[in-house]
PDB file of all heavy atoms in Angstrom:
ATOM      1  N   LEU A 178      88.875  84.643  99.794  1.00 94.00           N
ATOM      2  CA  LEU A 178      88.174  85.020 101.005  1.00 94.00           C
ATOM      3  C   LEU A 178      88.858  84.425 102.251  1.00 94.00           C
ATOM      4  O   LEU A 178      88.673  84.941 103.294  1.00 94.00           O
ATOM      5  CB  LEU A 178      86.700  84.557 100.884  1.00 94.00           C
ATOM      6  CG  LEU A 178      85.857  85.291  99.880  1.00 94.00           C
ATOM      7  CD1 LEU A 178      84.512  84.517  99.708  1.00 94.00           C
ATOM      8  CD2 LEU A 178      85.507  86.711 100.468  1.00 94.00           C
ATOM      9  N   LEU A 179      89.561  83.323 102.038  1.00 96.00           N
ATOM     10  CA  LEU A 179      90.279  82.747 103.127  1.00 96.00           C
ATOM     11  C   LEU A 179      91.774  83.130 103.086  1.00 96.00           C
ATOM     12  O   LEU A 179      92.317  83.597 104.115  1.00 96.00           O
ATOM     13  CB  LEU A 179      90.179  81.202 103.002  1.00 96.00           C
ATOM     14  CG  LEU A 179      91.030  80.391 103.980  1.00 96.00           C
ATOM     15  CD1 LEU A 179      90.553  80.524 105.419  1.00 96.00           C
ATOM     16  CD2 LEU A 179      91.079  78.916 103.543  1.00 96.00           C
ATOM     17  N   ILE A 180      92.360  82.909 101.896  1.00 96.00           N
ATOM     18  CA  ILE A 180      93.803  83.113 101.788  1.00 96.00           C
ATOM     19  C   ILE A 180      94.237  84.553 101.977  1.00 96.00           C
ATOM     20  O   ILE A 180      95.366  84.839 102.565  1.00 96.00           O
ATOM     21  CB  ILE A 180      94.347  82.540 100.417  1.00 96.00           C
ATOM     22  CG1 ILE A 180      93.930  81.117 100.198  1.00 96.00           C
ATOM     23  CG2 ILE A 180      95.798  82.755 100.235  1.00 96.00           C
ATOM     24  CD1 ILE A 180      94.486  80.215 101.354  1.00 96.00           C
ATOM     25  N   LYS A 181      93.477  85.490 101.503  1.00 96.00           N
ATOM     26  CA  LYS A 181      93.856  86.864 101.583  1.00 96.00           C
ATOM     27  C   LYS A 181      93.951  87.319 103.055  1.00 96.00           C
ATOM     28  O   LYS A 181      94.891  88.046 103.466  1.00 96.00           O
ATOM     29  CB  LYS A 181      92.939  87.783 100.880  1.00 96.00           C
ATOM     30  CG  LYS A 181      93.398  89.223 100.677  1.00 96.00           C
ATOM     31  CD  LYS A 181      94.554  89.236  99.696  1.00 96.00           C
ATOM     32  CE  LYS A 181      95.042  90.624  99.342  1.00 96.00           C
ATOM     33  NZ  LYS A 181      96.123  90.696  98.375  1.00 96.00           N
ATOM     34  N   GLN A 182      92.998  86.844 103.924  1.00 96.00           N
ATOM     35  CA  GLN A 182      93.052  87.161 105.304  1.00 96.00           C
ATOM     36  C   GLN A 182      94.333  86.639 105.980  1.00 96.00           C
ATOM     37  O   GLN A 182      94.992  87.304 106.842  1.00 96.00           O
ATOM     38  CB  GLN A 182      91.817  86.621 106.017  1.00 96.00           C
ATOM     39  CG  GLN A 182      90.568  87.264 105.654  1.00 96.00           C
ATOM     40  CD  GLN A 182      89.385  86.821 106.546  1.00 96.00           C
ATOM     41  OE1 GLN A 182      89.442  87.049 107.733  1.00 96.00           O
ATOM     42  NE2 GLN A 182      88.401  86.170 105.949  1.00 96.00           N
ATOM     43  N   ILE A 183      94.731  85.435 105.579  1.00 97.00           N
ATOM     44  CA  ILE A 183      95.947  84.774 106.116  1.00 97.00           C
ATOM     45  C   ILE A 183      97.174  85.581 105.650  1.00 97.00           C
ATOM     46  O   ILE A 183      98.071  85.866 106.456  1.00 97.00           O
ATOM     47  CB  ILE A 183      95.998  83.323 105.699  1.00 97.00           C
ATOM     48  CG1 ILE A 183      94.876  82.514 106.247  1.00 97.00           C
ATOM     49  CG2 ILE A 183      97.345  82.728 106.091  1.00 97.00           C
ATOM     50  CD1 ILE A 183      94.747  81.111 105.749  1.00 97.00           C
ATOM     51  N   ARG A 184      97.256  85.928 104.399  1.00 96.00           N
ATOM     52  CA  ARG A 184      98.355  86.683 103.892  1.00 96.00           C
ATOM     53  C   ARG A 184      98.513  87.966 104.645  1.00 96.00           C
ATOM     54  O   ARG A 184      99.624  88.422 104.977  1.00 96.00           O
ATOM     55  CB  ARG A 184      98.171  86.945 102.401  1.00 96.00           C
ATOM     56  CG  ARG A 184      98.384  85.690 101.524  1.00 96.00           C
ATOM     57  CD  ARG A 184      98.007  85.991 100.029  1.00 96.00           C
ATOM     58  NE  ARG A 184      98.685  87.213  99.497  1.00 96.00           N
ATOM     59  CZ  ARG A 184      98.544  87.546  98.256  1.00 96.00           C
ATOM     60  NH1 ARG A 184      97.809  86.879  97.422  1.00 96.00           N
ATOM     61  NH2 ARG A 184      99.249  88.575  97.835  1.00 96.00           N
ATOM     62  N   VAL A 185      97.526  88.746 104.785  1.00 97.00           N
ATOM     63  CA  VAL A 185      97.473  90.062 105.362  1.00 97.00           C
ATOM     64  C   VAL A 185      98.042  89.920 106.824  1.00 97.00           C
ATOM     65  O   VAL A 185      98.966  90.751 107.197  1.00 97.00           O
ATOM     66  CB  VAL A 185      96.131  90.724 105.440  1.00 97.00           C
ATOM     67  CG1 VAL A 185      96.101  91.901 106.324  1.00 97.00           C
ATOM     68  CG2 VAL A 185      95.683  91.121 103.969  1.00 97.00           C
ATOM     69  N   ALA A 186      97.559  88.922 107.567  1.00 97.00           N
ATOM     70  CA  ALA A 186      97.986  88.779 108.966  1.00 97.00           C
ATOM     71  C   ALA A 186      99.435  88.375 108.977  1.00 97.00           C
ATOM     72  O   ALA A 186     100.184  88.920 109.820  1.00 97.00           O
ATOM     73  CB  ALA A 186      97.128  87.715 109.581  1.00 97.00           C
ATOM     74  N   LEU A 187      99.916  87.505 108.143  1.00 96.00           N
ATOM     75  CA  LEU A 187     101.316  87.039 108.142  1.00 96.00           C
ATOM     76  C   LEU A 187     102.233  88.199 107.711  1.00 96.00           C
ATOM     77  O   LEU A 187     103.354  88.411 108.296  1.00 96.00           O
ATOM     78  CB  LEU A 187     101.539  85.887 107.193  1.00 96.00           C
ATOM     79  CG  LEU A 187     100.853  84.551 107.665  1.00 96.00           C
ATOM     80  CD1 LEU A 187     101.208  83.442 106.552  1.00 96.00           C
ATOM     81  CD2 LEU A 187     101.303  84.168 109.026  1.00 96.00           C
ATOM     82  N   ASN A 188     101.818  88.983 106.730  1.00 96.00           N
ATOM     83  CA  ASN A 188     102.659  90.136 106.297  1.00 96.00           C
ATOM     84  C   ASN A 188     102.858  91.168 107.335  1.00 96.00           C
ATOM     85  O   ASN A 188     103.922  91.769 107.542  1.00 96.00           O
ATOM     86  CB  ASN A 188     102.065  90.760 105.037  1.00 96.00           C
ATOM     87  CG  ASN A 188     102.280  89.914 103.791  1.00 96.00           C
ATOM     88  OD1 ASN A 188     103.135  89.077 103.785  1.00 96.00           O
ATOM     89  ND2 ASN A 188     101.584  90.223 102.764  1.00 96.00           N
ATOM     90  N   LYS A 189     101.776  91.335 108.177  1.00 97.00           N
ATOM     91  CA  LYS A 189     101.827  92.268 109.260  1.00 97.00           C
ATOM     92  C   LYS A 189     102.847  91.914 110.395  1.00 97.00           C
ATOM     93  O   LYS A 189     103.247  92.763 111.178  1.00 97.00           O
ATOM     94  CB  LYS A 189     100.413  92.511 109.839  1.00 97.00           C
ATOM     95  CG  LYS A 189      99.528  93.272 108.927  1.00 97.00           C
ATOM     96  CD  LYS A 189      98.255  93.638 109.628  1.00 97.00           C
ATOM     97  CE  LYS A 189      97.355  94.470 108.760  1.00 97.00           C
ATOM     98  NZ  LYS A 189      96.013  94.863 109.349  1.00 97.00           N
ATOM     99  N   THR A 190     103.190  90.658 110.456  1.00 96.00           N
ATOM    100  CA  THR A 190     104.207  90.231 111.424  1.00 96.00           C
ATOM    101  C   THR A 190     105.585  90.706 111.167  1.00 96.00           C
ATOM    102  O   THR A 190     106.447  90.719 112.020  1.00 96.00           O
ATOM    103  CB  THR A 190     104.212  88.679 111.663  1.00 96.00           C
ATOM    104  OG1 THR A 190     104.710  88.098 110.383  1.00 96.00           O
ATOM    105  CG2 THR A 190     102.855  88.182 111.851  1.00 96.00           C
ATOM    106  N   GLY A 191     105.771  91.051 109.842  1.00 95.00           N
ATOM    107  CA  GLY A 191     107.148  91.409 109.365  1.00 95.00           C
ATOM    108  C   GLY A 191     108.040  90.219 109.176  1.00 95.00           C
ATOM    109  O   GLY A 191     109.231  90.411 108.781  1.00 95.00           O
ATOM    110  N   LYS A 192     107.571  89.070 109.443  1.00 96.00           N
ATOM    111  CA  LYS A 192     108.382  87.812 109.239  1.00 96.00           C
ATOM    112  C   LYS A 192     108.136  87.116 107.898  1.00 96.00           C
ATOM    113  O   LYS A 192     108.892  86.256 107.552  1.00 96.00           O
ATOM    114  CB  LYS A 192     108.031  86.863 110.375  1.00 96.00           C
ATOM    115  CG  LYS A 192     108.271  87.341 111.772  1.00 96.00           C
ATOM    116  CD  LYS A 192     109.673  87.698 112.086  1.00 96.00           C
ATOM    117  CE  LYS A 192     109.822  88.145 113.500  1.00 96.00           C
ATOM    118  NZ  LYS A 192     111.240  88.416 113.836  1.00 96.00           N
ATOM    119  N   VAL A 193     107.100  87.571 107.173  1.00 96.00           N
ATOM    120  CA  VAL A 193     106.706  86.869 105.912  1.00 96.00           C
ATOM    121  C   VAL A 193     106.373  87.988 104.887  1.00 96.00           C
ATOM    122  O   VAL A 193     105.723  89.008 105.226  1.00 96.00           O
ATOM    123  CB  VAL A 193     105.512  85.997 106.151  1.00 96.00           C
ATOM    124  CG1 VAL A 193     105.104  85.324 104.839  1.00 96.00           C
ATOM    125  CG2 VAL A 193     105.806  84.964 107.158  1.00 96.00           C
ATOM    126  N   VAL A 194     106.798  87.762 103.646  1.00 95.00           N
ATOM    127  CA  VAL A 194     106.297  88.601 102.543  1.00 95.00           C
ATOM    128  C   VAL A 194     105.780  87.594 101.547  1.00 95.00           C
ATOM    129  O   VAL A 194     106.241  86.488 101.315  1.00 95.00           O
ATOM    130  CB  VAL A 194     107.395  89.449 101.922  1.00 95.00           C
ATOM    131  CG1 VAL A 194     107.880  90.514 102.846  1.00 95.00           C
ATOM    132  CG2 VAL A 194     108.650  88.565 101.539  1.00 95.00           C
ATOM    133  N   THR A 195     104.733  88.083 100.913  1.00 94.00           N
ATOM    134  CA  THR A 195     104.031  87.183  99.816  1.00 94.00           C
ATOM    135  C   THR A 195     104.441  87.556  98.478  1.00 94.00           C
ATOM    136  O   THR A 195     104.387  88.726  98.143  1.00 94.00           O
ATOM    137  CB  THR A 195     102.479  87.246  99.976  1.00 94.00           C
ATOM    138  OG1 THR A 195     102.144  86.985 101.371  1.00 94.00           O
ATOM    139  CG2 THR A 195     101.825  86.288  99.081  1.00 94.00           C
ATOM    140  N   SER A 196     104.805  86.613  97.637  1.00 93.00           N
ATOM    141  CA  SER A 196     105.202  86.861  96.309  1.00 93.00           C
ATOM    142  C   SER A 196     103.882  87.063  95.477  1.00 93.00           C
ATOM    143  O   SER A 196     103.006  86.302  95.519  1.00 93.00           O
ATOM    144  CB  SER A 196     106.031  85.727  95.704  1.00 93.00           C
ATOM    145  OG  SER A 196     106.174  85.897  94.303  1.00 93.00           O
ATOM    146  N   THR A 197     103.853  88.138  94.658  1.00 90.00           N
ATOM    147  CA  THR A 197     102.779  88.361  93.729  1.00 90.00           C
ATOM    148  C   THR A 197     103.169  88.100  92.300  1.00 90.00           C
ATOM    149  O   THR A 197     102.416  88.302  91.390  1.00 90.00           O
ATOM    150  CB  THR A 197     102.299  89.794  93.847  1.00 90.00           C
ATOM    151  OG1 THR A 197     103.395  90.693  93.500  1.00 90.00           O
ATOM    152  CG2 THR A 197     101.764  90.155  95.227  1.00 90.00           C
ATOM    153  N   THR A 198     104.357  87.562  92.114  1.00 88.00           N
ATOM    154  CA  THR A 198     104.867  87.177  90.738  1.00 88.00           C
ATOM    155  C   THR A 198     104.986  85.685  90.592  1.00 88.00           C
ATOM    156  O   THR A 198     105.175  85.266  89.438  1.00 88.00           O
ATOM    157  CB  THR A 198     106.189  87.901  90.448  1.00 88.00           C
ATOM    158  OG1 THR A 198     107.238  87.418  91.408  1.00 88.00           O
ATOM    159  CG2 THR A 198     106.073  89.390  90.503  1.00 88.00           C
ATOM    160  N   MET A 199     104.937  84.965  91.673  1.00 86.00           N
ATOM    161  CA  MET A 199     104.998  83.491  91.615  1.00 86.00           C
ATOM    162  C   MET A 199     103.798  82.964  92.306  1.00 86.00           C
ATOM    163  O   MET A 199     103.307  83.430  93.359  1.00 86.00           O
ATOM    164  CB  MET A 199     106.224  82.969  92.328  1.00 86.00           C
ATOM    165  CG  MET A 199     107.510  83.310  91.653  1.00 86.00           C
ATOM    166  SD  MET A 199     108.931  82.668  92.607  1.00 86.00           S
ATOM    167  CE  MET A 199     108.962  83.813  93.991  1.00 86.00           C
ATOM    168  N   GLY A 200     103.161  81.929  91.630  1.00 87.00           N
ATOM    169  CA  GLY A 200     101.961  81.367  92.205  1.00 87.00           C
ATOM    170  C   GLY A 200     101.263  80.375  91.251  1.00 87.00           C
ATOM    171  O   GLY A 200     101.550  80.485  90.078  1.00 87.00           O
ATOM    172  N   PHE A 201     100.439  79.563  91.799  1.00 87.00           N
ATOM    173  CA  PHE A 201      99.703  78.581  90.965  1.00 87.00           C
ATOM    174  C   PHE A 201      98.777  79.361  89.986  1.00 87.00           C
ATOM    175  O   PHE A 201      97.997  80.265  90.374  1.00 87.00           O
ATOM    176  CB  PHE A 201      98.907  77.682  91.821  1.00 87.00           C
ATOM    177  CG  PHE A 201      98.233  76.616  91.084  1.00 87.00           C
ATOM    178  CD1 PHE A 201      98.907  75.460  90.565  1.00 87.00           C
ATOM    179  CD2 PHE A 201      96.871  76.719  90.708  1.00 87.00           C
ATOM    180  CE1 PHE A 201      98.197  74.432  89.840  1.00 87.00           C
ATOM    181  CE2 PHE A 201      96.198  75.733  90.021  1.00 87.00           C
ATOM    182  CZ  PHE A 201      96.880  74.573  89.602  1.00 87.00           C
ATOM    183  N   GLY A 202      98.863  79.012  88.717  1.00 86.00           N
ATOM    184  CA  GLY A 202      98.014  79.638  87.751  1.00 86.00           C
ATOM    185  C   GLY A 202      98.516  80.904  87.146  1.00 86.00           C
ATOM    186  O   GLY A 202      97.914  81.560  86.373  1.00 86.00           O
ATOM    187  N   GLY A 203      99.844  81.247  87.565  1.00 87.00           N
ATOM    188  CA  GLY A 203     100.435  82.510  86.983  1.00 87.00           C
ATOM    189  C   GLY A 203     100.583  83.594  87.988  1.00 87.00           C
ATOM    190  O   GLY A 203     100.068  83.464  89.102  1.00 87.00           O
ATOM    191  N   PRO A 204     101.216  84.676  87.594  1.00 85.00           N
ATOM    192  CA  PRO A 204     101.456  85.738  88.576  1.00 85.00           C
ATOM    193  C   PRO A 204     100.160  86.475  88.965  1.00 85.00           C
ATOM    194  O   PRO A 204      99.267  86.638  88.116  1.00 85.00           O
ATOM    195  CB  PRO A 204     102.361  86.707  87.779  1.00 85.00           C
ATOM    196  CG  PRO A 204     102.058  86.477  86.325  1.00 85.00           C
ATOM    197  CD  PRO A 204     101.736  84.982  86.291  1.00 85.00           C
ATOM    198  N   GLU A 205     100.023  86.852  90.230  1.00 86.00           N
ATOM    199  CA  GLU A 205      98.916  87.625  90.697  1.00 86.00           C
ATOM    200  C   GLU A 205      98.971  89.053  90.142  1.00 86.00           C
ATOM    201  O   GLU A 205      98.046  89.675  89.833  1.00 86.00           O
ATOM    202  CB  GLU A 205      98.856  87.660  92.184  1.00 86.00           C
ATOM    203  CG  GLU A 205      97.759  88.424  92.820  1.00 86.00           C
ATOM    204  CD  GLU A 205      97.810  88.461  94.355  1.00 86.00           C
ATOM    205  OE1 GLU A 205      98.540  87.567  94.876  1.00 86.00           O
ATOM    206  OE2 GLU A 205      97.122  89.219  94.964  1.00 86.00           O
ATOM    207  N   ASP A 206     100.226  89.553  90.065  1.00 86.00           N
ATOM    208  CA  ASP A 206     100.429  90.968  89.557  1.00 86.00           C
ATOM    209  C   ASP A 206     101.274  90.841  88.215  1.00 86.00           C
ATOM    210  O   ASP A 206     102.536  90.832  88.342  1.00 86.00           O
ATOM    211  CB  ASP A 206     101.113  91.736  90.572  1.00 86.00           C
ATOM    212  CG  ASP A 206     101.226  93.220  90.255  1.00 86.00           C
ATOM    213  OD1 ASP A 206     101.177  93.541  89.070  1.00 86.00           O
ATOM    214  OD2 ASP A 206     101.336  93.963  91.171  1.00 86.00           O
ATOM    215  N   PRO A 207     100.674  90.836  87.072  1.00 87.00           N
ATOM    216  CA  PRO A 207     101.400  90.689  85.853  1.00 87.00           C
ATOM    217  C   PRO A 207     102.381  91.862  85.625  1.00 87.00           C
ATOM    218  O   PRO A 207     103.490  91.662  85.023  1.00 87.00           O
ATOM    219  CB  PRO A 207     100.358  90.686  84.711  1.00 87.00           C
ATOM    220  CG  PRO A 207      99.084  90.201  85.488  1.00 87.00           C
ATOM    221  CD  PRO A 207      99.235  90.785  86.830  1.00 87.00           C
ATOM    222  N   LEU A 208     102.054  93.087  86.023  1.00 90.00           N
ATOM    223  CA  LEU A 208     102.919  94.238  85.824  1.00 90.00           C
ATOM    224  C   LEU A 208     104.210  94.065  86.698  1.00 90.00           C
ATOM    225  O   LEU A 208     105.271  94.359  86.203  1.00 90.00           O
ATOM    226  CB  LEU A 208     102.225  95.529  86.211  1.00 90.00           C
ATOM    227  CG  LEU A 208     101.117  95.938  85.254  1.00 90.00           C
ATOM    228  CD1 LEU A 208     100.486  97.240  85.757  1.00 90.00           C
ATOM    229  CD2 LEU A 208     101.656  96.155  83.842  1.00 90.00           C
ATOM    230  N   ALA A 209     104.053  93.579  87.871  1.00 88.00           N
ATOM    231  CA  ALA A 209     105.233  93.415  88.684  1.00 88.00           C
ATOM    232  C   ALA A 209     106.106  92.259  88.143  1.00 88.00           C
ATOM    233  O   ALA A 209     107.350  92.373  88.119  1.00 88.00           O
ATOM    234  CB  ALA A 209     104.805  92.985  90.116  1.00 88.00           C
ATOM    235  N   LYS A 210     105.445  91.255  87.549  1.00 85.00           N
ATOM    236  CA  LYS A 210     106.227  90.185  86.826  1.00 85.00           C
ATOM    237  C   LYS A 210     106.990  90.679  85.697  1.00 85.00           C
ATOM    238  O   LYS A 210     108.189  90.409  85.431  1.00 85.00           O
ATOM    239  CB  LYS A 210     105.269  89.111  86.396  1.00 85.00           C
ATOM    240  CG  LYS A 210     105.920  87.888  85.712  1.00 85.00           C
ATOM    241  CD  LYS A 210     106.832  87.131  86.680  1.00 85.00           C
ATOM    242  CE  LYS A 210     107.458  85.852  86.034  1.00 85.00           C
ATOM    243  NZ  LYS A 210     108.362  85.175  86.914  1.00 85.00           N
TER     244      LYS A 210
END
């Protein structure tokens, strides 16, 4: 509820991309991994 809003805003700047295959607790997107 907090982090997703931050990710969306940063991604929209074009200066940041968020990894969905690396992260604490395992990949967010197993298929992409």
Side-chain angles (χ1 to χ4, degrees):
L178 288 168
L179 172 70
I180 301 304
K181 194 67 172 183
Q182 293 190 62
I183 297 173
R184 287 173 53 176
V185 169
L187 292 180
N188 284 345
K189 285 183 176 180
T190 66
K192 304 294 185 181
V193 180
V194 290
T195 306
S196 172
T197 59
T198 60
M199 291 179 286
F201 182 80
E205 179 182 344
D206 189 336
L208 288 179
K210 181 65 175 178

